Amino acid sequence: MKWIVGLGNPGPNYEKTRHNIGFMALDALAARHGIAIKQSKCKAVIGEGNISGTKIALIKPMTYMNLSGESVRAFMDYYKVSLEDLIVVYDDLDTEIGRNRLRYQGSAGGHNGIKSIIQHTGTQVFNRIRMGISRPQPGYPIVDYVLAPFPRKEAELLQQSIDEAGDAIEFALTHTFEQTMAKFNK
């Protein structure tokens, strides 16, 4: 089973915020393939299905961003899945809006959700799709920025990023992550 974890915060207050772009990407992929993400298990809501003949689980941790690793660990332990089959999708301040960056290892880079996953899995080696949200203007508090909704003027770039993340996930299901990085890192 391949498992895709989208990072975000639960609840309607956070639904359209920059920090929830990982949830948005999973929701779009689920809609594309008719998968319902609604089963409550492993401190998450989960949707299971098949894409390109591959069994997948789409996972949205309900632990809030800073504790995402608790849900990832619970899913790993319950389903006995490998980190090699994991893709984490999340927001990245250091990538501009509309662009995604793929990597298979690295530090948390200041992202508390990734920091929690590293802490609970004991490794920095797992596949990632970092979805750009750009940095705020100097002086604008980071916390306020990531918890703010995307402005209308960024709607087209946001949709492009979400669509490309879905395309990358679909490609990764039938190719190595190295091949996926070569195709989707621009």
Side-chain angles (χ1 to χ4, degrees):
M1 173 192 296
K2 300 284 186 179
W3 51 306
I4 317 325
V5 176
L7 299 187
N9 287 309
N13 292 346
Y14 301 105
E15 205 169 279
K16 305 243 186 247
T17 65
R18 293 177 188 276
H19 226 14
N20 273 37
I21 198 170
F23 278 11
M24 292 178 210
L26 256 61
D27 288 340
L29 183 64
R32 222 190 251 191
H33 294 281
I35 298 171
I37 303 176
K38 62 181 185 180
Q39 181 185 17
S40 185
K41 185 186 266 184
C42 302
K43 300 182 181 184
V45 286
I46 299 170
E48 295 183 56
N50 282 287
I51 299 176
S52 303
T54 302
K55 183 173 173 57
I56 61 138
L58 303 176
I59 302 142
K60 293 169 38 178
M62 293 287 113
T63 55
Y64 289 92
M65 183 67 76
N66 295 354
L67 301 175
S68 297
E70 291 179 8
S71 177
V72 168
R73 181 85 249 170
F75 189 87
M76 279 180 68
D77 292 345
Y78 185 84
Y79 283 91
K80 308 294 185 223
V81 289
S82 166
L83 284 173
E84 293 170 10
D85 295 320
L86 168 66
I87 300 173
V88 179
V89 185
Y90 64 101
D91 59 296
D92 182 34
L93 285 164
D94 294 321
T95 303
E96 60 195 64
I97 181 78
R99 293 196 62 206
N100 299 331
R101 300 292 297 160
L102 285 68
R103 39 188 320 201
Y104 61 89
Q105 69 178 358
S107 72
H111 194 286
N112 289 331
I114 297 299
K115 192 181 298 181
S116 177
I117 292 171
I118 291 169
Q119 176 187 354
H120 283 85
T121 61
T123 185
Q124 295 182 8
V125 181
F126 52 88
N127 303 322
R128 308 151 193 224
I129 298 176
R130 301 177 348 200
M131 300 180 71
I133 61 168
S134 301
R135 282 207 170 264
Q137 296 296 322
Y140 194 103
I142 298 289
V143 171
D144 293 343
Y145 180 76
V146 299
L147 295 179
F150 285 93
R152 252 185 254 253
K153 68 181 181 181
E154 293 179 347
E156 189 175 318
L157 291 172
L158 172 62
Q159 191 58 54
Q160 174 185 319
S161 183
I162 288 170
D163 291 344
E164 287 181 7
D167 294 345
I169 291 166
E170 290 170 350
F171 188 84
L173 296 177
T174 56
H175 297 81
T176 68
F177 204 71
E178 288 77 15
Q179 292 170 319
T180 306
M181 289 189 304
K183 180 175 175 76
F184 289 93
N185 278 336
K186 299 172 188 158

